[in-house]
Short mmCIF file of all heavy atoms in Angstrom, two decimals:
data_model
loop_
_atom_site.label_atom_id
_atom_site.label_comp_id
_atom_site.label_asym_id
_atom_site.label_seq_id
_atom_site.Cartn_x
_atom_site.Cartn_y
_atom_site.Cartn_z
N THR A 1 -2.01 13.33 -14.25
CA THR A 1 -1.10 14.16 -13.39
C THR A 1 0.23 13.45 -13.15
O THR A 1 0.33 12.23 -13.45
CB THR A 1 -1.82 14.37 -12.01
OG1 THR A 1 -1.62 13.25 -11.17
CG2 THR A 1 -3.27 14.76 -12.13
N PRO A 2 1.14 14.23 -12.57
CA PRO A 2 2.43 13.50 -12.28
C PRO A 2 2.44 12.74 -10.90
O PRO A 2 3.44 12.40 -10.39
CB PRO A 2 3.45 14.61 -12.25
CG PRO A 2 2.63 15.77 -11.79
CD PRO A 2 1.27 15.61 -12.33
N TYR A 3 1.29 12.51 -10.42
CA TYR A 3 1.14 11.93 -9.10
C TYR A 3 0.74 10.48 -9.10
O TYR A 3 0.21 10.00 -10.05
CB TYR A 3 0.12 12.79 -8.17
CG TYR A 3 0.49 14.24 -8.13
CD1 TYR A 3 -0.49 15.12 -8.19
CD2 TYR A 3 1.89 14.62 -7.91
CE1 TYR A 3 -0.17 16.46 -8.10
CE2 TYR A 3 2.14 15.93 -7.82
CZ TYR A 3 1.19 16.89 -7.93
OH TYR A 3 1.51 18.23 -7.92
N TYR A 4 0.91 9.84 -7.88
CA TYR A 4 0.60 8.43 -7.76
C TYR A 4 -0.09 8.27 -6.38
O TYR A 4 0.10 8.97 -5.41
CB TYR A 4 1.86 7.59 -7.72
CG TYR A 4 2.72 7.64 -9.00
CD1 TYR A 4 3.56 8.64 -9.28
CD2 TYR A 4 2.50 6.62 -9.95
CE1 TYR A 4 4.32 8.70 -10.45
CE2 TYR A 4 3.31 6.68 -11.21
CZ TYR A 4 4.15 7.72 -11.43
OH TYR A 4 4.80 7.72 -12.59
N ILE A 5 -0.97 7.18 -6.40
CA ILE A 5 -1.60 6.77 -5.10
C ILE A 5 -0.67 5.65 -4.58
O ILE A 5 -0.44 4.66 -5.33
CB ILE A 5 -3.01 6.30 -5.26
CG1 ILE A 5 -3.87 7.32 -5.93
CG2 ILE A 5 -3.56 5.83 -3.94
CD1 ILE A 5 -5.32 6.80 -6.26
N ARG A 6 -0.20 5.78 -3.39
CA ARG A 6 0.77 4.81 -2.85
C ARG A 6 0.06 4.25 -1.51
O ARG A 6 -0.47 5.05 -0.72
CB ARG A 6 2.14 5.34 -2.59
CG ARG A 6 2.86 5.85 -3.73
CD ARG A 6 4.17 6.40 -3.35
NE ARG A 6 4.67 7.27 -4.44
CZ ARG A 6 5.64 6.89 -5.21
NH1 ARG A 6 6.10 5.63 -5.22
NH2 ARG A 6 6.12 7.73 -6.17
N ILE A 7 0.33 2.96 -1.29
CA ILE A 7 -0.12 2.38 0.04
C ILE A 7 1.11 1.74 0.72
O ILE A 7 1.91 1.19 -0.02
CB ILE A 7 -1.21 1.22 -0.27
CG1 ILE A 7 -2.52 1.84 -0.85
CG2 ILE A 7 -1.56 0.53 1.08
CD1 ILE A 7 -3.53 0.79 -1.23
N TYR A 8 1.22 1.94 1.91
CA TYR A 8 2.40 1.48 2.71
C TYR A 8 2.01 0.54 3.78
O TYR A 8 0.93 0.65 4.43
CB TYR A 8 3.03 2.72 3.33
CG TYR A 8 3.46 3.78 2.30
CD1 TYR A 8 2.52 4.80 1.99
CD2 TYR A 8 4.68 3.84 1.81
CE1 TYR A 8 2.89 5.77 1.18
CE2 TYR A 8 5.07 4.89 0.93
CZ TYR A 8 4.12 5.79 0.58
OH TYR A 8 4.39 6.86 -0.32
N ARG A 9 2.90 -0.51 3.93
CA ARG A 9 2.70 -1.38 5.08
C ARG A 9 3.96 -1.25 6.00
O ARG A 9 5.05 -1.47 5.51
CB ARG A 9 2.69 -2.90 4.53
CG ARG A 9 2.56 -3.95 5.74
CD ARG A 9 2.24 -5.29 5.05
NE ARG A 9 2.19 -6.29 6.17
CZ ARG A 9 1.59 -7.55 6.01
NH1 ARG A 9 1.10 -7.80 4.81
NH2 ARG A 9 1.47 -8.39 6.99
N ASN A 10 3.68 -0.81 7.23
CA ASN A 10 4.81 -0.52 8.13
C ASN A 10 5.77 0.41 7.56
O ASN A 10 7.08 0.22 7.48
CB ASN A 10 5.47 -1.81 8.66
CG ASN A 10 4.55 -2.63 9.46
OD1 ASN A 10 3.63 -2.11 10.14
ND2 ASN A 10 4.73 -3.96 9.46
N SER A 11 5.30 1.44 6.82
CA SER A 11 6.12 2.57 6.23
C SER A 11 6.90 2.11 4.95
O SER A 11 7.59 2.94 4.39
CB SER A 11 7.11 3.15 7.24
OG SER A 11 6.48 3.68 8.35
N THR A 12 6.67 0.85 4.51
CA THR A 12 7.27 0.38 3.27
C THR A 12 6.32 0.37 2.16
O THR A 12 5.17 -0.12 2.40
CB THR A 12 7.97 -0.95 3.49
OG1 THR A 12 8.96 -0.89 4.43
CG2 THR A 12 8.58 -1.50 2.19
N GLN A 13 6.58 0.88 1.03
CA GLN A 13 5.63 0.86 -0.08
C GLN A 13 5.10 -0.51 -0.33
O GLN A 13 5.88 -1.42 -0.54
CB GLN A 13 6.28 1.52 -1.36
CG GLN A 13 5.24 1.61 -2.48
CD GLN A 13 5.88 2.34 -3.66
OE1 GLN A 13 6.11 3.50 -3.68
NE2 GLN A 13 5.96 1.51 -4.83
N PHE A 14 3.83 -0.70 -0.44
CA PHE A 14 3.17 -2.00 -0.56
C PHE A 14 2.40 -2.07 -1.83
O PHE A 14 2.20 -3.13 -2.40
CB PHE A 14 2.25 -2.17 0.65
CG PHE A 14 1.72 -3.63 0.82
CD1 PHE A 14 2.57 -4.67 0.93
CD2 PHE A 14 0.38 -3.84 0.86
CE1 PHE A 14 2.21 -5.96 1.09
CE2 PHE A 14 -0.11 -5.14 1.01
CZ PHE A 14 0.81 -6.20 1.14
N ALA A 15 1.97 -0.87 -2.35
CA ALA A 15 1.19 -0.85 -3.65
C ALA A 15 1.37 0.59 -4.21
O ALA A 15 1.46 1.52 -3.44
CB ALA A 15 -0.26 -1.20 -3.46
N ILE A 16 1.27 0.72 -5.51
CA ILE A 16 1.38 2.06 -6.19
C ILE A 16 0.46 1.97 -7.41
O ILE A 16 0.46 0.93 -8.16
CB ILE A 16 2.80 2.38 -6.57
CG1 ILE A 16 2.86 3.75 -7.23
CG2 ILE A 16 3.54 1.25 -7.50
CD1 ILE A 16 4.27 4.27 -7.42
N CYS A 17 -0.26 3.09 -7.64
CA CYS A 17 -1.19 3.10 -8.78
C CYS A 17 -0.96 4.52 -9.47
O CYS A 17 -1.01 5.56 -8.78
CB CYS A 17 -2.61 2.98 -8.33
SG CYS A 17 -2.96 1.39 -7.54
N GLY A 18 -0.86 4.45 -10.82
CA GLY A 18 -0.57 5.74 -11.50
C GLY A 18 -1.78 6.22 -12.31
O GLY A 18 -1.70 7.25 -13.01
N THR A 19 -2.91 5.49 -12.27
CA THR A 19 -4.08 5.97 -12.94
C THR A 19 -5.36 5.66 -12.05
O THR A 19 -5.28 4.82 -11.11
CB THR A 19 -4.36 5.13 -14.27
OG1 THR A 19 -4.44 3.76 -14.06
CG2 THR A 19 -3.13 5.46 -15.17
N GLY A 20 -6.39 6.37 -12.38
CA GLY A 20 -7.71 6.13 -11.75
C GLY A 20 -7.70 6.78 -10.34
O GLY A 20 -6.87 7.61 -10.02
N THR A 21 -8.82 6.55 -9.63
CA THR A 21 -8.99 7.19 -8.30
C THR A 21 -8.85 6.24 -7.17
O THR A 21 -8.86 6.61 -6.00
CB THR A 21 -10.45 7.83 -8.26
OG1 THR A 21 -11.43 6.73 -8.46
CG2 THR A 21 -10.64 8.89 -9.30
N THR A 22 -8.75 4.97 -7.46
CA THR A 22 -8.52 3.91 -6.36
C THR A 22 -7.30 3.13 -6.61
O THR A 22 -6.91 2.88 -7.69
CB THR A 22 -9.76 3.09 -6.24
OG1 THR A 22 -9.93 2.32 -7.44
CG2 THR A 22 -11.03 3.79 -6.02
N CYS A 23 -6.76 2.69 -5.44
CA CYS A 23 -5.62 1.82 -5.49
C CYS A 23 -5.99 0.73 -4.35
O CYS A 23 -6.14 1.12 -3.24
CB CYS A 23 -4.35 2.52 -5.23
SG CYS A 23 -2.80 1.62 -5.42
N SER A 24 -5.89 -0.44 -4.76
CA SER A 24 -6.22 -1.59 -3.78
C SER A 24 -5.23 -2.66 -3.84
O SER A 24 -4.56 -2.95 -4.84
CB SER A 24 -7.62 -2.16 -4.10
OG SER A 24 -8.69 -1.19 -3.98
N VAL A 25 -5.05 -3.32 -2.63
CA VAL A 25 -4.11 -4.41 -2.50
C VAL A 25 -4.54 -5.32 -1.35
O VAL A 25 -5.25 -4.79 -0.33
CB VAL A 25 -2.65 -3.91 -2.24
CG1 VAL A 25 -2.57 -3.16 -0.91
CG2 VAL A 25 -1.74 -5.10 -2.27
N ASP A 26 -4.43 -6.59 -1.45
CA ASP A 26 -4.74 -7.54 -0.37
C ASP A 26 -3.48 -7.78 0.48
O ASP A 26 -2.41 -8.01 -0.01
CB ASP A 26 -5.31 -8.87 -0.97
CG ASP A 26 -6.68 -8.81 -1.48
OD1 ASP A 26 -7.35 -7.81 -1.05
OD2 ASP A 26 -7.10 -9.56 -2.32
N ALA A 27 -3.70 -7.87 1.79
CA ALA A 27 -2.70 -8.10 2.69
C ALA A 27 -3.05 -9.29 3.61
O ALA A 27 -4.31 -9.32 4.01
CB ALA A 27 -2.31 -6.93 3.56
N THR A 28 -2.14 -10.18 3.95
CA THR A 28 -2.44 -11.34 4.78
C THR A 28 -1.30 -11.69 5.64
O THR A 28 -0.14 -11.18 5.46
CB THR A 28 -3.01 -12.49 3.97
OG1 THR A 28 -3.47 -13.51 4.89
CG2 THR A 28 -1.84 -13.09 3.14
N SER A 29 -1.52 -12.55 6.59
CA SER A 29 -0.44 -13.10 7.44
C SER A 29 -0.78 -14.54 7.69
O SER A 29 -1.92 -14.84 8.07
CB SER A 29 -0.21 -12.34 8.60
OG SER A 29 0.77 -12.89 9.43
N SER A 30 0.15 -15.43 7.64
CA SER A 30 -0.05 -16.85 7.99
C SER A 30 0.13 -17.07 9.52
O SER A 30 -0.08 -18.18 10.02
CB SER A 30 0.91 -17.81 7.25
OG SER A 30 2.23 -17.43 7.59
N VAL A 31 0.65 -16.02 10.28
CA VAL A 31 0.88 -16.18 11.62
C VAL A 31 0.27 -15.01 12.35
O VAL A 31 -0.11 -13.98 11.74
CB VAL A 31 2.41 -16.27 12.03
CG1 VAL A 31 2.98 -17.54 11.42
CG2 VAL A 31 3.14 -15.00 11.49
N ILE A 32 0.12 -15.03 13.68
CA ILE A 32 -0.38 -13.89 14.44
C ILE A 32 0.54 -12.69 14.16
O ILE A 32 1.74 -12.84 14.40
CB ILE A 32 -0.47 -14.22 15.93
CG1 ILE A 32 -1.46 -15.39 16.15
CG2 ILE A 32 -0.87 -13.03 16.75
CD1 ILE A 32 -1.42 -15.97 17.57
N ASP A 33 -0.12 -11.59 13.87
CA ASP A 33 0.79 -10.43 13.40
C ASP A 33 -0.03 -9.15 13.48
O ASP A 33 -1.19 -9.18 13.45
CB ASP A 33 1.34 -10.68 12.06
CG ASP A 33 2.55 -9.75 11.72
OD1 ASP A 33 3.05 -9.14 12.67
OD2 ASP A 33 2.91 -9.67 10.48
N SER A 34 0.72 -8.07 13.40
CA SER A 34 0.06 -6.72 13.23
C SER A 34 0.78 -5.92 12.20
O SER A 34 2.03 -6.11 12.10
CB SER A 34 0.07 -6.01 14.60
OG SER A 34 -0.75 -6.61 15.56
N ALA A 35 0.18 -4.99 11.56
CA ALA A 35 0.80 -4.13 10.62
C ALA A 35 0.08 -2.83 10.50
O ALA A 35 -1.13 -2.79 10.58
CB ALA A 35 0.87 -4.79 9.25
N TRP A 36 0.86 -1.77 10.33
CA TRP A 36 0.27 -0.45 10.08
C TRP A 36 0.14 -0.12 8.61
O TRP A 36 1.19 -0.31 7.89
CB TRP A 36 1.12 0.64 10.80
CG TRP A 36 1.19 0.57 12.30
CD1 TRP A 36 2.03 -0.10 13.15
CD2 TRP A 36 0.18 1.23 13.15
NE1 TRP A 36 1.71 0.17 14.35
CE2 TRP A 36 0.58 0.91 14.53
CE3 TRP A 36 -0.97 2.07 12.91
CZ2 TRP A 36 -0.17 1.42 15.56
CZ3 TRP A 36 -1.66 2.52 13.97
CH2 TRP A 36 -1.27 2.18 15.31
#
């Protein structure tokens, strides 16, 4: 299809996948933090 699976961190694109049914990415922080 012409579509993509996208993952966003705090509304900024963090990962994009153009094939398959899953899209995964690891997120971390070295300091106390929160993210949407």
Side-chain angles (χ1 to χ4, degrees):
T1 77
Y3 302 138
Y4 297 82
I5 305 171
R6 301 177 196 259
I7 298 174
Y8 304 86
R9 179 172 182 164
N10 294 333
S11 301
T12 299
Q13 183 175 295
F14 194 56
I16 182 171
C17 300
T19 61
T21 59
T22 63
C23 189
S24 295
V25 65
D26 286 335
T28 189
S29 177
S30 60
V31 296
I32 298 171
D33 196 13
S34 296
W36 291 94

